[in-house]
Amino acid sequence: MRTAPLVSVIVPNYNYAQPLRHCLAALAAQTHGPLEVIVVDDGSTDDSVAVADSFGVRVLRTPVNSGPSVARNIGAEAARGEILMFVDSDVALAPDAVANAVAILAAEPGVGAVCGNYDTVPMTPGGVVRDYRNLYRHWWFRIAEGSITGFMSTAIVAVPSRVWDEVGPWNPRLTQSEGADVVERLTARYEVRMTSTVLGRHDDDATLRIALSKVFTRTRVHIPFFLHRRRVVGVVTSAESGTGLASWLAAATAPLPLVAGPVWAALPALLLLAWLLSDARMYRFVLRTRGLPFTVVYAALHLLVNLTIGVGVAAGLVQWLVSRRFRRLYEEQAVAA
């Protein structure tokens, strides 16, 4: 009888002491064994290392803060498991998450990686912004279930070590596009599976300022990566939402009634309605999950996020056109990938 495979769980961490505590507690409660947990601390200045030490896991440290890709690579090089599982330090896995990922990889040799989803409930309570961000990401990953291409979440990923030897490592020079880079190499040889049977609670953004700042930055810096690969559509779909165009046009046409008369108010209103209807399935899901008052707030926050994506796309395109350094930097990163 074949024994269960050793799974090496690699947790990159930077100044996330409190979420890390929940992450490691969840790993200690996994139903799968044996398990090797490796925390790679990326130059934290809080008590993250002490938290990791208190759980008795293996702790490695980067000399200076170098980014999650570097931390993941250090963990992968030190891992002894047949399966590598990359789990961000702000994710607390469900007790059966590792076991379910292992079962898929064992049953289907053609699957080279299993990506997990976020639970509908965040790791810790944090208000409507956190609830919105968490629930939206759950929905986005949920409708992507099955074979995926183009982009993948890097927060929960299980890969057989033999596969990682072929397609790794994470590109340390890519700060926001490393998932798109790795999934390209994976899907050239294997299927990449997204599934909600591998679930984790996520410690998502707690304030609107943080959420919008992240959305803007991630969208902007994705522009050169995808333009270099001739996949402009991927800029939008891999950022936060693929249904933002109508909301951008609604915002652009909103001043029309002031300059062309009140009758033109119908145009931005119709565009906004088209934007809402394009995500009707999502809003029905939110309504069933959280009720009408939260759904109204959710829609308002989602509109702000979509408009921020539009600003990020515009800023990225302008920077691409006017900044040779911006183009050259990401061209070099893409070639290195």
Side-chain angles (χ1 to χ4, degrees):
M1 182 178 177
R2 189 178 186 275
T3 58
L6 172 65
V7 176
S8 295
V9 182
I10 298 153
V11 182
N13 175 77
Y14 175 64
N15 282 347
Y16 262 42
Q18 190 57 37
L20 179 63
R21 190 180 302 277
H22 293 288
C23 173
L24 296 179
L27 290 174
Q30 289 299 302
T31 59
H32 177 87
L35 209 64
E36 173 189 46
V37 179
I38 302 172
V39 173
V40 185
D41 188 75
D42 191 22
S44 293
T45 55
D46 63 3
D47 61 345
S48 291
V49 172
V51 169
D53 284 338
S54 71
F55 281 87
V57 300
R58 187 176 181 186
V59 181
L60 305 176
R61 306 183 72 172
T62 60
V64 294
N65 180 251
S66 306
S69 291
V70 170
R72 293 186 190 110
N73 287 338
I74 289 173
E77 289 171 5
R80 298 178 294 110
E82 292 179 52
I83 295 173
L84 307 180
M85 193 159 183
F86 300 97
V87 178
D88 284 356
S89 58
D90 59 356
V91 173
L93 294 180
D96 61 353
V98 174
N100 290 342
V102 170
I104 293 171
L105 293 172
E108 303 183 57
V111 175
V114 173
C115 300
N117 193 359
Y118 295 140
D119 199 340
T120 56
V121 179
M123 177 190 283
T124 54
V128 294
V129 173
R130 176 169 289 172
D131 287 349
Y132 155 71
R133 292 287 284 163
N134 196 85
L135 196 57
Y136 172 71
R137 295 200 219 205
H138 168 85
W139 169 256
W140 197 60
F141 293 147
R142 177 172 168 169
I143 61 175
E145 283 194 6
S147 297
I148 58 174
T149 59
F151 194 79
M152 71 176 187
S153 169
T154 58
I156 310 172
V157 185
V159 187
S161 56
R162 58 175 177 79
V163 172
W164 192 248
D165 288 342
E166 297 176 35
V167 303
W170 301 93
N171 187 339
R173 300 169 68 188
L174 292 176
T175 57
Q176 300 289 343
S177 310
E178 72 272 22
D181 169 53
V182 167
V183 81
E184 281 192 348
R185 285 179 272 145
L186 275 165
T187 53
R189 307 181 188 191
Y190 299 95
E191 179 188 350
V192 177
R193 180 77 55 82
M194 170 71 75
T195 175
S196 292
T197 65
V198 179
L199 210 60
R201 292 191 172 187
H202 183 223
D203 187 56
D204 224 310
D205 307 321
T207 69
L208 189 59
R209 181 185 64 81
I210 293 173
L212 296 183
S213 175
K214 283 185 178 180
V215 168
F216 172 80
T217 300
R218 288 172 179 171
T219 305
R220 180 180 62 82
V221 301
H222 270 84
I223 292 290
F225 182 88
F226 284 104
L227 286 180
H228 185 78
R229 281 160 165 73
R230 310 292 195 273
R231 287 194 284 107
V232 181
V233 174
V235 174
V236 178
T237 58
S238 70
E240 296 290 330
S241 174
T243 60
L245 183 58
S247 68
W248 305 346
L249 292 174
T253 57
L256 275 178
L258 300 177
V259 297
V263 68
W264 285 96
L267 180 58
L270 287 172
L271 287 167
L272 190 59
L273 179 61
W275 172 75
L276 286 167
L277 292 176
S278 68
D279 269 331
R281 286 177 57 214
M282 177 181 73
Y283 291 117
R284 286 196 295 269
F285 169 75
V286 176
L287 184 63
R288 291 194 306 270
T289 306
R290 294 293 304 270
L292 181 59
F294 180 80
T295 304
V296 173
V297 175
Y298 180 102
L301 291 171
H302 196 50
L303 178 61
L304 284 174
V305 166
N306 273 264
L307 295 176
T308 303
I309 291 170
V311 176
V313 168
L317 288 172
V318 169
Q319 194 169 4
W320 171 266
L321 291 171
V322 304
S323 173
R324 184 179 176 184
R325 180 177 176 273
F326 190 61
R327 291 196 305 272
R328 185 172 62 246
L329 173 64
Y330 280 89
E331 285 170 2
E332 289 171 356
Q333 290 181 352
V335 170

